[in-house]
Amino acid sequence: MTNKSPTSDAFTTKGLTKVYGEGPAAVHALRGVDLTIPSGEFVVLLGPSGSGKSTLLNILGGLDRPTDGSAHFQDTELTALTDSELTRYRRDHVGFVFQFYNLMPSLNARENVELVTEISTDPMDAGQALALVGLDERAHHFPSEMSGGEQQRVAIARAVAKQPTVLFCDEPTGALDSATGRAVLKVLTDVNEKLGTTVIIVTHAASTAALADRVIHFADGGIREVITNDTKLTAEEIEW
Ligand code: ADP
Ligand code: MG
């Protein structure tokens, strides 16, 4: 796998299916999802709780495997990879941002970012990543000394510092008030525009959809509707 993309698509899924458990207790989290996401796109996956959004994100991000169907990253079939190849895929190509920032409390902002840059093949400098999220002056602060929005921006800096091909964000503003949520979304749109990173955000907050190139409406384990935004709003412009 290289960073060069032989096709212009980041992801293609066909009949992607995920069933948790067996028999009468089986949960059909994904019911045959066909999806193409072009490289560099800013995608928002919108849908109610339990509709399968996180399951889809985790499979595309190499954290989980489908029960059936296929998922390609560029020309690589993710379902064909061994566990160690999948780990390498995550390490080389994938950044993750979760609702709860998962920072190490005993490390300051810079050290939290360096956890990732130290094991990456082509990282940016930790200070540069913190500057990108507007926190270069807070590099020596610990998570307990920062607001929720600031901690989430450190988590984004950490995810972006390895220069991932794709940035996955699962409910990144779910724990934030509107002002800090807006600041976090601004960082995500900046990363997409300045670095060309494909950004895929899962949310149940409909307002976020206005930022996206494409909005994928999810319900009951499948795609209900795909909407292309001819004009995108900025993080400052969206209603909250
Ligand atoms: P969403 O992110 O849209 O809220 P999820 O992808 O987390 O939805 O979950 C989809 C469905 O799969 C839900 O019914 C959820 O309870 C179920 N599910 C998710 N993860 C697991 C798991 N590890 N074991 C069993 N069921 C799960
Ligand atoms: Mg979820």
Side-chain angles (χ1 to χ4, degrees), residues 187-217:
V187 169
L188 295 176
T189 54
D190 279 354
V191 166
N192 173 252
E193 282 164 19
K194 292 182 187 162
L195 306 179
T197 312
T198 305
V199 175
I200 306 176
I201 300 182
V202 156
T203 182
H204 59 264
S207 56
T208 308
L211 299 174
D213 293 306
R214 228 149 39 105
V215 187
I216 297 169
H217 288 263

Side-chain angles (χ1 to χ4, degrees), residues 99 101 143 146-154 172 175-176 180 184:
Q99 177 173 359
Y101 332 114
M146 288 185 275
S147 70
E150 287 165 345
Q151 290 181 62
Q152 187 62 302
R153 280 149 63 197
V154 175
L176 304 176
T180 44
V184 163

Side-chain angles (χ1 to χ4, degrees), residues 53-54 170-171 202:
K53 306 181 300 295
S54 295
D170 198 342
E171 306 277 5
V202 156

